[in-house]
Amino acid sequence: MTPTLFGRIQTRLFLVATVGVLWTLLIGPALAGMMSDPDATTGDVYRLAFGALVLVAVVGIGWELIYHALQQYRWEKDWPTFFGLVTGLPEGIVVALLLGAGLPWDVGDVPLGAYTVHFATTWVLIWLVANGPMQVLFPRWRFRGGQLL
Amino acid sequence: MSETRRIAGAPIGAAQEAGPANQGTEGADLTQALIDRDTWTDAEVAASGIPMEDVDLVSVGGGLGSFALADTLRIAGLGTGQIRVLGDNSSPTATYEYLAANSQIPEHERLRSDAGSVMDNIWGFPSYALREAWTDKSLKAVWQVVTEPILAEYYTPRAGQVYASVRREAARIGWEDMLRLGFVRMIRKREGGGYFVVHTPQGGSGGAKRHIYRTNFAHIAVGYPGVAFLPDLQEYRERTGDYSRVVNAYEPHDHVYAETRTRPCTIVVRGSGIVASRVLQRLLDDYESGAQIRVIHLFRNYVDGPQGDDPKFKRPGRNGFAYQAFNFPKSAWGGQLRYALEELEGDARSELLDKMGGTNTAPRKSWSDQLERARKAGAYDQAVGKVVSVEAMDDGSAIRTRVATSAGDEHVIDAQFIIDATGLLARIEEHRLMADLLDHSGVGKNPKGRLDVERHFEVRGAASGPGRLYASGSMTLGGYYAGVDSFLGLQYAAQRIADNLAEQGLGKKLGTGRSVQQWVRWARNKTP
């Protein structure tokens, strides 16, 4: 992809708010059994998972500033598909640490199993949608550096 | 062929005022009075007796540029009856295939094009890589496109895949119904708005000698007027009449390869762009399978290290070549460099284009490995300098090139063939239609000497009342978009033109709903 800074931020916020929210609603009930607390409800999963989505969106703006700065050292001024996938690793770790620290709200200890499955599946799904289907929904998006507005 | 319809964008009633399209007389031709006048009236055209037809949009060229626009407009909702494509080949890929085949890209070889630059699909999804994986039942292409260019080289599609998929899409959108074979002699402004497009239909026997299309919207995508030679080689060809030993890589030149199979040959290759890489690959493939070939690669400018001082804008270079995956940095098509170029005018724009583009080739390990093998075996040598003279030797055995090196020495290279791989002719005035436009319609040239277009590819100075003239492709290089001469660039231009046409009243902008619906129709191979 060849994002601009605004394109990166807009695309991230859009995909988290659409694909991220829908997927989280769908997968929530299935993750209840993976929480550390055996009595955890779907509501507890949502509390954790939506907390993670909020952090991916908000902290992600900071990440995008870093990615954009790094992109300036690439001759092509592009952001390889591969980077879009592997940046999920550092981002996932940072979000887990912030959730554990009580941000954006208290979720107690982060249950690693449920968190990892939710974060990884959401990340890959968003990455897949960003690498194709977005172009069908918004035929001008790929020429505008990912800007929707 | 004599359907009468309102010219799109013209005020209601204009068609009546303009009079109906006419059947005309076979054999009727342009009069000198018409040829001399910049703007024609309906009455003058009617008096000429040339058959005339009204249509909403005419696209001149009939190659991939016309195809990209017709595809985009058909998907946006225009009917085949609203579009006329005027070209000289029945297939939109014909010229491209011809040039690619001459420059040694057979159908099974890969082009220098991104996975997402999908010529038959305006969305770029599914990419060539995904489709290749599907057809080959192999994940190799997917792995490559997901890890490019970090763990793998950039994925690029095979030429044959591109051609076959364009043929399928052409059939789907009704290309044959829109296409009229022949040559466009001129486009002249119409008094009251719009244009007359003068067409010389192909076939001659029985049909009309000329045909005129009256339209409010015209588009030109005629590509390069011909092949270009380096001045010293051009001079040699004109002086000696020897067109077989000094050849352009884009011309048919199979006789060169054939001769290397019958006797030892030294071949000079001039140029260091992608076409030179192709030709070197062909020659060294032949060498490695037994042909007695020695290649002297002659450089005018030798790239021996990265280009540029800015650590943020440095292009890799070594062994004579400047390397980048595509002919411009990727983001020039749809990222930050596209926006950067759009902001620039005049020399500043020209400079950025030179910095991003210029002569460069794709970094492919198979090519550099082959050059290294051949160099060690004595089959590939490099020479650097300015050519002083090119002469045929008296006994006809070779062509002697004298080269002045920067150290002040003179270097002599005797060769059986010289292949000029420096490119195609880009002077727009060499094209008859372009020359006529420059003389009669008020269009101008951009900082690179090519046709001056707006950011949305409208030709500056060519507006005629509500009528608009657009251009895309190689003839617009030097404008606000770098990758004009590429699959993705043609699709980008088509999208900008289609959106502008919608603003002018022809068709509707493609929105999300119709886009998704049309993508499904594409996937099911149903007409738009």
Side-chain angles (χ1 to χ4, degrees):
Chain A
M1 285 200 274
T2 54
T4 61
L5 179 57
F6 286 134
R8 290 174 165 284
I9 294 170
Q10 287 178 19
T11 299
R12 171 183 292 254
L13 295 179
F14 175 81
L15 287 173
V16 167
T18 53
V19 177
V21 166
L22 283 174
W23 176 246
T24 301
L25 286 173
L26 275 174
I27 199 183
L31 293 181
M34 297 181 78
M35 300 286 277
S36 346
D37 177 0
D39 300 327
T41 62
T42 301
D44 295 327
V45 176
Y46 284 155
R47 197 174 160 75
L48 169 80
F50 281 105
L53 284 189
V54 167
L55 290 174
V56 170
V58 176
V59 180
I61 295 173
W63 282 109
E64 296 297 4
L65 290 169
I66 296 170
Y67 301 154
H68 181 72
L70 292 174
Q71 181 176 301
Q72 301 317 305
Y73 288 90
R74 294 185 54 75
W75 166 256
E76 309 275 348
K77 304 282 179 280
D78 67 337
W79 197 247
T81 305
F82 184 64
F83 289 1
L85 189 62
V86 298
T87 44
L89 199 64
E91 289 208 30
I93 292 169
V94 168
V95 168
L97 293 174
L98 292 172
L99 281 170
L103 287 168
W105 42 70
D106 184 23
V107 295
D109 287 338
V110 178
L112 271 187
Y115 172 77
T116 306
V117 170
H118 171 254
F119 189 92
T121 55
T122 310
W123 189 269
V124 170
L125 194 61
I126 286 181
W127 174 77
L128 286 173
V129 173
N131 280 285
M134 275 297 276
Q135 295 162 205
V136 176
L137 292 166
F138 307 104
R140 294 166 194 84
W141 175 80
R142 64 171 168 158
F143 294 118
R144 302 176 57 186
Q147 291 174 45
L148 291 159
L149 302 175
Chain B
M1 286 278 267
S2 62
E3 57 184 317
T4 308
R5 212 177 325 95
R6 190 173 80 81
I7 301 177
I12 303 290
Q16 282 78 2
E17 287 162 28
N22 69 58
Q23 300 278 7
T25 358
E26 282 179 15
D29 204 353
L30 294 166
T31 60
Q32 194 58 45
L34 280 175
I35 292 170
D36 292 343
R37 282 175 56 94
D38 294 346
T39 305
W40 298 351
T41 66
D42 289 314
E44 285 168 336
V45 172
S48 75
I50 301 174
M52 187 177 74
E53 177 183 349
D54 283 330
V55 67
D56 288 338
L57 176 105
V58 172
S59 178
V60 180
L64 291 173
S66 290
F67 173 79
L69 183 61
D71 196 27
T72 303
L73 290 172
R74 290 282 289 119
I75 287 165
L78 262 63
T80 53
Q82 292 178 275
I83 303 168
R84 284 289 167 268
V85 175
L86 309 180
D88 52 1
N89 281 295
S90 55
S91 166
T93 57
T95 303
Y96 187 95
E97 287 190 44
Y98 172 80
L99 293 172
N102 287 340
S103 64
Q104 304 307 308
I105 314 176
E107 292 204 6
H108 64 269
E109 285 281 350
R110 292 180 185 278
L111 302 172
R112 187 194 201 184
S113 194
D114 182 50
S117 305
V118 193
M119 199 62 228
D120 66 297
N121 171 297
I122 63 162
W123 302 273
F125 177 75
S127 70
Y128 285 128
L130 291 181
R131 294 197 229 166
E132 184 178 319
W134 180 261
T135 321
D136 292 1
K137 301 284 177 269
S138 153
L139 285 174
K140 190 168 166 271
V142 175
W143 170 254
Q144 192 178 351
V145 82
V146 167
T147 58
E148 71 178 20
I150 310 302
L151 307 179
E153 287 180 2
Y154 274 107
Y155 168 89
T156 54
R158 287 195 189 98
Q161 185 193 8
V162 173
Y163 306 153
S165 59
V166 169
R167 281 194 281 272
R168 171 188 181 269
E169 180 69 353
R172 187 181 82 90
I173 64 169
W175 180 255
E176 278 187 15
D177 299 336
M178 297 182 274
L179 180 68
R180 297 291 179 270
L181 290 174
F183 295 91
V184 171
R185 171 79 171 75
M186 57 180 68
I187 298 174
R188 292 289 172 90
K189 288 180 178 174
R190 170 178 171 266
E191 184 92 43
Y195 308 91
F196 294 108
V197 180
V198 182
H199 189 230
T200 309
Q202 211 176 70
S205 64
K209 184 174 165 64
R210 306 274 188 201
H211 194 88
I212 289 182
Y213 293 88
R214 184 169 59 186
T215 184
N216 255 2
F217 301 109
H219 167 242
I220 320 168
V222 292
Y224 294 95
V227 294
F229 283 89
L230 289 161
D232 57 89
L233 298 181
Q234 179 69 36
E235 192 271 330
Y236 171 86
R237 276 168 60 115
E238 280 168 11
R239 176 163 43 84
T240 63
D242 174 6
Y243 297 112
S244 79
R245 309 227 148 241
V246 172
V247 296
N248 186 292
Y250 281 111
E251 298 179 299
H253 62 280
D254 280 347
H255 64 279
V256 176
Y257 308 107
E259 191 160 325
T260 63
R261 287 193 287 274
T262 64
R263 64 168 181 139
C265 287
T266 298
I267 294 164
V268 171
V269 174
R270 309 268 302 262
S272 54
I274 186 77
V275 179
S277 291
R278 299 282 185 194
V279 167
L280 290 170
Q281 183 198 343
R282 169 66 199 262
L283 289 167
L284 297 177
D285 280 352
D286 285 2
Y287 164 74
E288 290 181 337
S289 54
Q292 301 171 72
I293 293 175
R294 182 161 177 258
V295 176
I296 312 278
H297 191 182
L298 179 55
F299 294 81
R300 176 73 184 91
N301 300 300
Y302 193 85
V303 180
D304 55 3
Q307 295 177 301
D309 303 324
D310 182 350
K312 289 181 179 173
F313 208 59
K314 198 178 256 193
R315 176 162 60 192
R318 64 188 171 278
N319 303 331
F321 299 93
Y323 287 112
Q324 67 191 25
F326 307 105
N327 50 350
F328 288 100
K330 257 191 120 174
S331 68
W333 277 269
Q336 54 185 100
L337 287 173
R338 168 169 99 69
Y339 286 97
L341 192 68
E342 271 202 351
E343 296 301 313
L344 300 178
E345 297 290 347
D347 290 343
R349 198 163 76 217
S350 188
E351 271 168 36
L352 181 57
L353 281 166
D354 289 342
K355 241 166 114 179
M356 298 193 296
T359 303
N360 63 78
T361 191
R364 293 189 188 167
K365 190 167 181 303
S366 61
W367 285 347
S368 43
D369 286 354
Q370 187 179 45
L371 288 179
E372 186 56 23
R373 280 197 307 276
R375 192 187 60 77
K376 281 186 181 150
Y380 172 75
D381 278 314
Q382 297 186 330
V384 187
K386 187 178 185 313
V387 171
V388 179
S389 67
V390 180
E391 305 279 349
M393 289 172 72
D394 289 339
D395 60 1
S397 62
I399 303 165
R400 174 161 289 177
T401 305
R402 289 180 192 278
V403 180
T405 67
S406 56
D409 310 332
E410 194 172 274
H411 191 67
V412 171
I413 306 167
D414 292 340
Q416 278 65 53
F417 292 102
I418 299 176
I419 302 178
D420 184 339
T422 59
L424 290 161
L425 183 66
R427 285 197 306 275
I428 59 169
E429 49 278 73
E430 303 275 345
H431 194 284
R432 194 180 193 190
L433 172 61
M434 288 291 132
D436 192 79
L437 277 174
L438 287 166
D439 287 345
H440 293 280
S441 70
V443 309
K445 294 194 210 172
N446 67 32
K448 290 271 178 227
R450 305 200 199 178
L451 194 63
D452 193 22
V453 296
E454 301 277 3
R455 290 167 181 80
H456 59 276
F457 297 91
E458 178 185 336
V459 181
R460 279 194 177 137
S464 170
R468 295 288 182 271
L469 179 68
Y470 302 90
S472 54
S474 59
M475 80 188 80
T476 65
L477 181 67
Y480 300 96
Y481 193 73
V484 287
D485 189 14
S486 70
F487 294 162
L488 192 58
L490 291 173
Q491 290 184 318
Y492 172 76
Q495 187 179 82
R496 294 294 301 257
I497 294 168
D499 285 352
N500 193 259
L501 283 168
E503 284 167 24
Q504 309 294 327
L506 181 66
K508 283 196 179 127
K509 273 194 184 179
L510 183 65
T512 293
R514 187 172 169 90
S515 177
V516 173
Q517 178 231 358
Q518 286 296 315
W519 184 83
V520 172
R521 293 193 71 78
W522 173 86
R524 297 174 61 216
N525 201 22
K526 302 282 181 201
T527 52

